[in-house]
Every structure is written in C-alpha cells, then in structure tokens.
Amino acid sequence: MAARRFALAALLALAGCATGGPPTPTAPAPGSGPPQAGGPGELHVEVVASGLEHPWEIGFLPDGSALVTQRPGELALLRQPDLRPQPVQADFSDVLARGEGGLMGLVVHPDFHANREFTTCQTHQEDGRAVDIRLITWRLAEDGTRAERVGQPLLTGLPINPSGRHSGCRLAVAPDGALLVSTGDTARPTTAQDLRSPGGKVLRLDLDTGRPLPDNPFWDDPDPRQQLVLTYGHRNVQGLAIGPDGQVFAAEHGPDSEDELNLLRPGRNYGWDPSRGGRNPVFYDESVPMTDLRRFPDAVPPLWTSGTDTEAVCAAAFLRGGQWGEPGVLAVTALKGSKLLLFRLAPGPSVLEVEVPPALDGTHGRLRGAQQGPDGALYVTTSNGTDDEVLRVTAR
C-alpha cells in the first residue's frame, strides 16, 4: 500500500479556511532544485517494549540503553541488549499527574558518560495543590536501578493549570549546549503574549545552572523571567527538533485545527493571542487564528499547518542517515491523528512534501515520543493509556 502524501499547496489552501481570520500565508518558495535524494522507503515497525503507561519521552544513553519517562510519575530503563523495560526507583511523589500534566520531557546530559545526569520536566504539587512546572536534574546509579536528585531544581516557576491543561513541555539540547524548553500557555488568555510569563514560550537557558544565557534576545530586560525567552506567542509546543544546520523546529498544538510546524527565530512572536489584544483577559477565546497576522503583522507564519484537520502533533525528531535519504526527514508524531508525519524540507527552509507512512497510520493508536537512536532507527512511544509501547522504526 502506497504511503499517503499531501501536496503543500493543498494543505495551505485548507488552512486558509480554518478560521474567520486571514488565509494562512504560503510557506517560502522551495529551493531551485529537487532534494539531493528521495525520502525513506517502506517502513518496518517492531515493538521493543510494552507494558508502559503514557510514555512521554525517550532519552538515549551512551551505551544505547534508553530512559523513558511515563506521565503518571514513573521512569523506566530500556537496557541493552534487548531493551526490556526495567523500573528506575526515583522520588516522583511531588509530581502532579493530572490531565496533560505529569512527568513529561527528558534530556540526557551531553556529559552523561562522566556525570550520569539527566533532566526532566514535571508538574509539581504540594499537599495536592498545583504549584508550578519545574525542571529537575537527576543522577542515575551505575547499575541503572535508581536515580537521585542533584541539588535544587534547575528551574521553577513555570506556570501550571491545576487541571494540567497545556503543560508543554519538551526539552532539547541545542548544538551550542543550550537547553531549550517548550512551555504551554496553561489555557490562560494573556500568557502567550506576556513576555514576563514563561508560559506559551520556548525558553533558552544554561543546562548546568538554569540561568538565562547572555546572548538570549531579551537578555537586557530587568525581569529574569523575560531573559529566558527565546520565542513567544505559542499555544502549546510539544515537539522540538534540531535540524542538521542547527535550526530549531517546533511542533505545536492548535485548538481543534491548525496544528503547526514552525521554524524558531530568536525574539520573534508566533501570533497566538486568545485574549484578543487584552480585550478578553479572562475568557480563553480559541476562535482566534493560531498565527494572527492581522493583529501581529510581524508574527512568524508556520512552515506547515494541518488546516481544518486535527492531528494534535507532538514530538519532533530530525532523522539523518542513509536509510532516511538525504538530507534527512523531519518526523512528527500525532496523538489524535494516530499517525507519523514525515516532512521533506527544502533549503530556506520550506516544506516540499508531507508523507504519512501506512505502517504508522492508525496502526498503533496515539503516538507521542520520538527520538532517533544511536543505531539510526526512529523510536516512537504510544500514548493510549494501557499497555503502551516503544516502537522501533526503520526504513527499507
């Protein structure tokens, strides 16, 4: 069965009908020539781990083993050679596992071989009361059976909705070593456009200290929260991927349509404003465009939008290596869409084509996490709630 492919022009035409606002602008014109080689061929999917509950993120260790966060507040180690999940003992008693919140993003420290550290993003509660979303650094024991917290939280004070709605929270390490953190707007109308709030943003900070970096776009602002901001005007970014040239791509949830793929540009606004310029400071008006170019003419338009379809895009991973073609493809998982989206990009960048491989089109339910493993395969987690799986995906 041939893979489904969507022409970019058709997607953009649909996007223009998604709201009562202006049509979504077309993506930049692709490069003058075709890609250097075709994309991946037929995909082969195998289940490498099961028995998990809402696995959120995969982080590969230097030996090829992998840590997997689970939203209810559990951590598993997929140990080589068979990647069978083993529980890791760690104190997640303060995790608020409610709604979309819980134990979410994870990133393995680039110097893990020396310090055995990794960092998680998790919703925090005290006596059952939602407090904030915070980043916690952990150290994994040599035998992989337990993890202990390292010092104080790396970052606290990220806004939280007591229901867990729009919690974010994906982590990625940029080529320069900076930690990137995506945050949701917590379904509050003014958060995304408020530069003093870290919600509805992508943040950039020092992985070891949690402090803002001096080349951040708002470094000169007196408010330390604004100093952390890389981009703003986001609804709920749940995917961050680093391209081969260091560009950062973000996959973002729309309300009931207009899911987006964005290229992050430091200091720029991405146009989500359910407060309608502050006129609705209490009512969360989701009828506004995802990228409101009437209200914010300088907002960054998306590279791609789902238009009237609801995909609920989640994790993003740039896949490199011979089996994925040159210069590689951007993989994005979809929760409600229950599929994998493979984006072929042209210089600029712009989207040439979006492919939906049949092997992951409604075959395993909701797909959440995505990481390329050291073996070149794509590893994907399901998020169906019971007996969830880690899938290994290769191209033939």
Side-chain angles (χ1 to χ4, degrees):
M1 181 178 180
R4 287 197 283 139
R5 290 182 170 86
F6 297 100
L8 179 61
L11 283 169
L12 293 170
L14 284 173
C17 302
T19 72
T24 303
T26 57
S32 57
Q36 297 178 22
E42 181 181 354
L43 298 189
H44 173 70
V45 180
E46 60 179 314
V47 177
V48 297
S50 60
L52 303 172
E53 184 176 354
H54 290 299
W56 221 95
E57 183 68 283
I58 306 171
F60 282 95
L61 307 181
D63 68 354
S65 300
L67 292 168
V68 180
T69 56
Q70 298 172 78
R71 196 169 65 193
E74 297 179 5
L75 183 67
L77 176 65
L78 309 186
R79 193 189 297 274
Q80 290 286 8
D82 57 3
L83 297 181
R84 182 176 302 173
Q86 302 175 16
V88 177
Q89 299 300 315
D91 183 7
F92 293 114
S93 60
D94 60 338
V95 169
L96 179 67
R98 185 179 299 163
E100 300 169 23
L103 180 59
M104 299 177 287
L106 174 147
V107 68
V108 175
H109 198 289
D111 292 329
F112 181 88
H113 64 282
N115 60 27
R116 301 193 63 80
E117 291 181 1
F118 62 96
T119 298
T120 59
C121 185
Q122 53 197 71
T123 50
H124 178 72
Q125 59 86 21
E126 295 176 2
D127 298 322
R129 177 179 61 89
V131 175
D132 61 7
I133 298 172
R134 52 184 57 185
L135 306 184
I136 306 293
T137 297
W138 305 81
R139 181 172 293 117
L140 185 68
E142 290 287 344
D143 63 4
T145 61
R146 66 191 186 281
E148 297 181 351
R149 300 190 184 206
V150 178
Q152 297 300 309
L154 185 66
L155 183 66
T156 62
L158 303 182
I160 189 173
N161 188 314
S163 72
R165 193 175 179 203
H166 295 189
S167 297
C169 175
R170 192 69 62 179
L171 307 179
V173 177
D176 62 1
L179 177 62
L180 305 179
V181 184
S182 72
T183 67
D185 69 356
T186 65
R188 293 184 174 94
T190 61
T191 297
Q193 292 296 325
D194 181 3
L195 284 168
R196 304 297 173 92
S197 169
K201 311 293 188 299
V202 175
L203 310 177
R204 182 173 180 267
L205 54 142
D206 188 298
L207 176 59
D208 295 316
T209 67
R211 299 189 182 114
L213 294 168
D215 54 346
N216 279 0
F218 301 102
W219 168 255
D220 292 334
D221 191 273
D223 191 315
R225 293 169 297 181
Q226 185 166 338
Q227 294 173 11
L228 290 167
V229 174
L230 179 69
T231 58
Y232 64 104
H234 297 289
R235 183 177 180 272
N236 195 20
V237 173
Q238 287 204 349
L240 291 173
I242 312 298
D245 55 1
Q247 293 175 315
V248 183
F249 297 89
E252 183 167 355
H253 282 238
D256 57 5
S257 60
E258 292 189 282
D259 295 305
E260 291 184 348
L261 178 67
N262 285 298
L263 174 68
L264 297 188
R265 301 184 184 277
R268 298 291 296 275
N269 185 359
Y270 284 75
W272 174 246
D273 182 22
S275 77
R276 292 187 176 269
R279 289 185 298 170
N280 294 332
V282 177
F283 175 58
Y284 189 68
D285 185 356
E286 295 193 89
S287 70
V288 300
M290 268 291 284
T291 304
D292 193 340
L293 292 171
R294 284 182 178 167
R295 187 173 303 282
F296 307 108
D298 294 331
V300 180
L303 289 178
W304 171 87
T305 172
S306 67
T308 56
D309 291 337
T310 305
E311 301 290 0
V313 293
C314 197
F318 205 94
L319 307 179
R320 305 167 177 84
Q323 65 178 307
W324 303 107
E326 292 295 339
V329 293
L330 180 63
V332 176
T333 58
L335 292 164
K336 186 171 183 179
S338 299
K339 62 171 66 77
L340 182 70
L341 303 168
L342 295 179
F343 291 83
R344 293 179 58 219
L345 304 176
S350 61
V351 176
L352 286 178
E353 186 177 63
V354 185
E355 178 181 338
V356 180
L360 283 170
D361 185 3
T363 56
H364 290 78
R366 295 160 59 88
L367 305 182
R368 184 179 294 278
Q371 286 287 347
Q372 187 171 26
D375 59 356
L378 170 65
Y379 288 79
V380 173
T381 70
T382 69
S383 190
N384 300 311
T386 57
D387 197 21
D388 278 311
E389 301 169 333
V390 177
L391 310 174
R392 182 177 183 268
V393 184
T394 53
R396 296 177 177 177

